[in-house]
């Protein structure tokens, strides 16, 4: 059963230079108990799409959608007060940089207890006990004594654990993690991912993981959405994306994963992402695609369903392009 179902999402920003079309008509969903990975380069629209659903964008943003259903409820016409209640009780979010997300003037205890006091009827003493339990849940040693400390007294990995504890404080149905391992060393990255995997398994919660790291997605996501230029270019199960990729951009991402064994040469994707103030009329990846045809620059590709779970948008899959496609 679907927990979040978004159709036709468009988000733009009015700036002095013009209108930035950050998200251009995407549709996606996440089921109950599912882990969905959203991957793509910086500027592809990954974070903006989630912030659009959460209504956490600045005033110069304009969000439009055919529908945004969460747990069967249409969110487009809900009041800001309703959305604020939803943030704590139903949806938790872990932001990219815990140092800027945490208030440096408040103790860790105050910040973990705040959503508990705001969204539940628990007393201060009960909220404190719950805060200790949450810090222990995310494996912070000496949780009770740590409540009195400030963010600068924690390491980067520990601050990220605190952000996860805050996001999980009211037992949300959906956890959105936006680049949760950015700026962390490899060992700490593995610990954070293991923690999120165990939380999903033990609490049976849905997770949306936003990242540019396909290796991270492979370790903890059951389904993957690939974004480029504000659009979704491919979507499928993790096995389909890694073993049967069909879009040239997905292939480029897979080729650019470093091979730790040193047997394969890393192949970067040439060129730069499109200018979303004046996005190309055709496929946004066409200028960088080694297999691009004339139509790719002229018209957005049609979506092709390859299976019940696998879909992609590429003109190379059209019947008239037979023989042009390069098999992975």
């Amino acid at each position: 059963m679907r927990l979040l179902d978004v159709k036709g999402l468009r988000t733009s920003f009015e700036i002095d230079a013009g209108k930035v079309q950050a998200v251009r008509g995407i549709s996606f969903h996440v089921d109950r108990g599912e882990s969905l990975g959203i991957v793509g380069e910086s500027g592809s629209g990954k974070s903006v799409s989630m912030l659009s659903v959460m209504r956490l964008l600045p005033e110069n943003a304009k969000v439009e959608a055919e529908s945004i259903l969460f747990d069967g409820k249409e969110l487009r016409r809900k009041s800001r007060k309703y959305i604020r209640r939803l943030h704590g009780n139903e949806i938790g979010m872990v932001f990219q940089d815990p140092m800027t997300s945490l208030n440096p003037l408040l103790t860790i205890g105050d910040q973990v207890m705040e959503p508990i006091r705001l969204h539940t009827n628990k007393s201060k003493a009960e909220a404190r006990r719950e805060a200790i339990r949450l810090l222990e849940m995310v494996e912070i040693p000496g949780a009770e004594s740590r409540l009195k400390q400030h963010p600068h007294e924690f390491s980067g990995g520990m601050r990220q654990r605190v952000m996860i504890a805050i996001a999980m404080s009211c037992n949300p149905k959906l956890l959105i993690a936006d680049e949760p391992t950015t700026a962390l060393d490899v060992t700490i990255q593995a610990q954070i991912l293991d923690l999120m995997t165990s939380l999903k398994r033990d609490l049976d919660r849905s997770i949306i993981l936003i990242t540019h790291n396909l290796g991270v997605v492979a370790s903890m996501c059951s389904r993957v959405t690939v974004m480029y230029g504000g659009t979704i270019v491919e979507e499928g199960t993790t096995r389909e994306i890694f073993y049967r990729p069909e879009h040239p951009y997905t292939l480029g991402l897979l080729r650019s994963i470093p091979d730790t064994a040193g047997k394969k040469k890393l192949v970067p994707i040439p060129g730069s992402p499109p200018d979303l103030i004046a996005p190309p009329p055709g496929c946004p990846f066409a200028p960088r695609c080694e297999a691009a045809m004339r139509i790719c620059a002229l018209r957005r590709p049609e979506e092709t369903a390859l299976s019940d779970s696998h879909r992609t948008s590429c003109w190379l899959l059209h019947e008239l392009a037979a023989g042009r496609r390069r098999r992975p």
Side-chain angles (χ1 to χ4, degrees):
M1 185 175 178
R2 294 186 176 181
L3 179 63
L4 177 66
D5 192 2
V6 178
K7 287 185 170 60
L9 178 66
R10 296 180 179 275
T11 304
S12 59
F13 297 89
E14 291 289 347
I15 61 174
D16 292 341
K19 180 178 171 182
V20 180
Q21 300 176 50
V23 178
R24 303 193 288 146
I26 68 170
S27 299
F28 63 93
H29 72 274
V30 59
D31 294 331
R32 295 179 189 277
E34 182 185 35
S35 53
L36 171 68
I38 301 180
V39 301
E41 293 173 88
S42 297
S44 60
K46 308 183 301 295
S47 298
V48 172
S49 60
M50 290 301 106
L51 293 172
S52 299
V53 173
M54 298 279 283
R55 289 202 205 168
L56 292 175
L57 293 173
E59 292 183 358
N60 67 329
K62 181 180 180 181
V63 179
E64 300 173 298
E66 294 172 24
S67 68
I68 301 176
L69 292 174
F70 180 79
D71 201 14
K73 300 180 181 68
E74 177 59 69
L75 300 186
R76 289 179 304 158
R77 297 178 183 86
K78 295 293 186 182
S79 66
R80 287 190 176 274
K81 185 178 180 181
Y82 179 92
I83 298 298
R84 281 198 298 269
R85 287 201 308 269
L86 194 73
H87 288 178
N89 288 322
E90 308 286 343
I91 304 175
M93 189 158 186
V94 181
F95 295 94
Q96 288 189 32
D97 186 357
M99 195 59 197
T100 56
S101 300
L102 292 169
N103 190 326
L105 302 179
L106 297 179
T107 65
I108 293 297
D110 287 338
Q111 298 186 64
V112 178
M113 289 164 59
E114 182 181 11
I116 300 172
R117 296 294 305 280
L118 184 64
H119 296 288
T120 70
N121 295 322
K122 292 182 178 179
S123 65
K124 187 173 182 180
E126 289 173 326
R128 187 176 187 278
R129 287 194 293 269
E130 180 65 10
I132 294 171
R133 186 191 71 80
L134 287 164
L135 293 184
E136 290 174 344
M137 181 182 73
V138 296
E139 301 176 1
I140 291 181
E144 187 171 1
S145 61
R146 291 282 201 165
L147 290 178
K148 299 178 182 179
Q149 295 183 324
H150 289 78
H152 72 271
E153 299 177 82
F154 283 60
S155 67
M158 287 296 179
R159 286 195 292 266
Q160 196 61 282
R161 290 172 186 268
V162 170
M163 289 297 300
I164 294 173
I166 293 172
M168 298 297 294
S169 60
C170 294
N171 200 21
K173 297 175 181 177
L174 172 64
L175 177 65
I176 301 173
D178 188 357
E179 301 279 9
T181 58
T182 298
L184 301 178
D185 64 55
V186 177
T187 303
I188 303 302
Q189 282 186 26
Q191 292 175 3
I192 295 297
L193 293 174
D194 287 344
L195 171 62
M196 292 181 63
T197 301
S198 64
L199 288 175
K200 177 189 176 297
R201 181 185 62 244
D202 298 341
L203 301 176
D204 192 29
R205 293 295 177 258
S206 300
I207 293 178
I208 295 179
L209 176 64
I210 302 169
T211 183
H212 62 273
N213 189 331
L214 277 170
V216 168
V217 167
S219 67
M220 68 172 293
C221 293
S222 56
R223 198 160 51 84
V224 183
T225 294
V226 183
M227 289 193 68
Y228 184 80
T231 67
I232 291 176
V233 296
E234 189 161 8
E235 182 179 75
T237 65
T238 302
R239 178 169 290 276
E240 286 168 335
I241 294 298
F242 276 80
Y243 293 101
R244 294 194 298 277
E246 292 290 352
H247 198 282
Y249 179 63
T250 308
L251 284 166
L253 289 179
L254 292 170
R255 289 195 193 111
S256 63
I257 298 176
D259 179 18
T260 54
K263 296 180 180 179
K264 293 182 180 179
K265 184 179 179 181
L266 187 148
V267 182
I269 302 175
S272 302
D275 178 8
L276 293 181
I277 293 180
C283 173
F285 189 63
R288 306 173 70 183
C289 181
E290 58 186 22
M293 302 176 289
R294 184 181 303 171
I295 193 172
C296 298
L298 300 176
R299 287 175 53 191
R300 287 271 293 273
E302 301 169 356
E303 185 177 280
T304 302
L306 304 168
S307 72
D308 291 342
S309 56
H310 194 184
R311 61 189 176 106
T312 190
S313 298
C314 181
W315 283 116
L316 293 173
L317 295 173
H318 195 278
E319 58 183 8
L320 295 179
R324 296 293 301 270
R325 185 169 28 148
R326 297 188 180 185
R327 297 297 303 172

